[in-house]
Amino acid sequence: MSSPSTRSSSLHSRGAAIAWMSGALVSFLTMAISSRELSAELTIVQILFLRSLLCLSLLGFIILVLGVRRPGAHWGFGRILTRAPSLHLVRNTVHWASQYAWTFAAVSIPLAEVFAIEFTSPIWTALIATFVLGERLNRWRLVAIALGFVGTMIILRPGVAVIHPASFSALAAAVGFAITYVVTKKLVSIEYPIAILFWMNVTQLLLGAVPAALLWVSPTSAMWPWIAALGIAGLSSHYCLSRALRCADATVVAPMDFLRLPVAAVVAWLMYAEALDPFVFIGAVIIFTGNWIGIRRG
């Protein structure tokens, strides 16, 4: 039987995880809504460029301030040096393309559908990691992959409903994010988290610079609050999610992440009058079940 102090510590960790996941939830929704608002005036490449620019500026400021005050600390200058530039290049190029596909989906189809399809990423990650990292593909992971496929088919309903091209874009983004997760698993063993975040924004800023310059539109004053929200949420989403996973196991964090779907659906219904599609929720529950099996049994 666990002692009172152990139970108290566990409850504290779960409470901290809930708090950090709430921050991640708000951040993910803020990115989606900001992207949709900005798309009224700006191109997607410009949105991504401005996000990377602001994220890198904020990150640079944090590194500068904390690096000067605490040179050997987690956020110090030495922590951003990389020993794997090629892995960063692969990861961040795929991630940039995935962000483009995700943003296109977020501004084109209901947000609930975007998040529901995005939940297939852990299932794609398990499949890709089997071939790239040599991780074993047991029967439970096969069940998780099968449920993910079934859930996706229920959401898209090929042959029954007209599938918007942006739905395939969301699916491509989910696969792309899965690839970046697999590469990140390699990077975390040799790089500091701050280095991964820093080089992600540097690489994506450079990737988006030329197309953004060619398609540049000067943002109006009404767009700048959304640009600021997008940049802040871009950093806070990664940070809050990583802190939540440090406070509690994935089996605790994953159900909270699933709250993105109903919250996004309600917000989109209130802000954009998007219909609540029952097939999206049914498919998402099946996908989440697959993810849950993969976490608990995989």
Side-chain angles (χ1 to χ4, degrees):
M1 182 179 294
S2 59
S3 65
S5 60
T6 302
R7 289 195 298 271
S8 177
S9 176
S10 177
L11 287 173
H12 176 75
S13 296
R14 285 174 179 253
I18 291 172
W20 285 115
M21 276 306 296
S22 297
L25 174 64
V26 172
S27 298
F28 285 126
L29 285 174
T30 299
M31 284 194 294
I33 294 169
S34 298
S35 297
R36 181 168 287 192
E37 294 296 323
L38 289 169
S39 68
E41 294 186 12
L42 310 180
T43 62
I44 293 177
V45 290
Q46 188 175 351
I47 293 172
L48 295 181
F49 174 79
L50 289 170
R51 174 187 168 183
S52 296
L53 180 62
L54 189 52
C55 282
L56 189 60
S57 300
L58 291 170
L59 198 57
F61 177 76
I62 293 171
I63 293 171
L64 179 64
V65 172
L66 295 184
V68 170
R69 290 176 56 191
R70 302 166 61 193
H74 174 74
W75 294 84
F77 293 105
R79 304 300 193 186
I80 64 173
L81 299 178
T82 177
R83 289 176 288 177
S86 58
L87 279 180
H88 281 289
L89 182 61
V90 170
R91 176 191 184 276
N92 298 329
T93 300
V94 173
H95 192 258
W96 187 87
S98 302
Q99 283 186 315
Y100 185 97
W102 185 89
T103 304
F104 173 68
V107 304
S108 304
I109 58 177
L111 292 181
E113 183 176 343
V114 175
F115 284 121
I117 295 174
E118 188 185 352
F119 284 141
T120 63
S121 282
I123 295 169
W124 297 116
T125 301
L127 188 60
I128 294 169
T130 301
F131 297 99
V132 176
L133 302 180
E135 295 185 359
R136 59 191 182 89
L137 189 64
N138 59 29
R139 61 176 178 175
W140 293 112
R141 289 188 176 181
L142 287 172
V143 169
I145 291 169
L147 287 174
F149 177 78
V150 170
T152 304
M153 290 300 100
I154 290 175
I155 294 170
L156 298 180
R157 284 171 289 157
V160 177
V162 177
I163 303 176
H164 195 288
S167 298
F168 291 113
S169 183
L171 188 59
V175 176
F177 289 144
I179 294 172
T180 65
Y181 295 154
V182 172
V183 179
T184 302
K185 289 185 73 172
K186 280 182 168 290
L187 278 173
V188 293
S189 62
I190 57 175
E191 301 277 66
Y192 291 102
I194 187 64
I196 296 174
L197 200 55
F198 177 80
W199 290 110
M200 178 185 78
N201 284 288
V202 168
T203 305
Q204 294 182 358
L205 184 71
L206 296 175
L207 286 172
V210 173
L214 294 174
L215 300 171
W216 188 264
V217 177
S218 296
T220 62
S221 58
M223 293 293 102
W224 282 107
W226 291 113
I227 293 172
L230 182 67
I232 294 170
L235 274 184
S236 61
S237 58
H238 289 277
Y239 184 73
C240 290
L241 185 58
S242 63
R243 289 300 300 265
L245 288 168
R246 288 185 63 183
C247 293
D249 293 337
T251 52
V252 176
V253 173
M256 289 185 281
D257 187 39
F258 188 70
L259 288 175
R260 271 196 283 164
L261 177 62
V263 173
V266 172
V267 170
W269 175 64
L270 292 172
M271 291 186 65
Y272 305 111
E274 291 183 358
L276 301 177
D277 187 348
F279 288 100
V280 170
F281 285 90
I282 294 170
V285 169
I286 294 173
I287 292 170
F288 176 76
T289 302
N291 288 336
W292 184 253
I293 290 173
I295 292 171
R296 293 298 298 268
R297 300 283 188 170

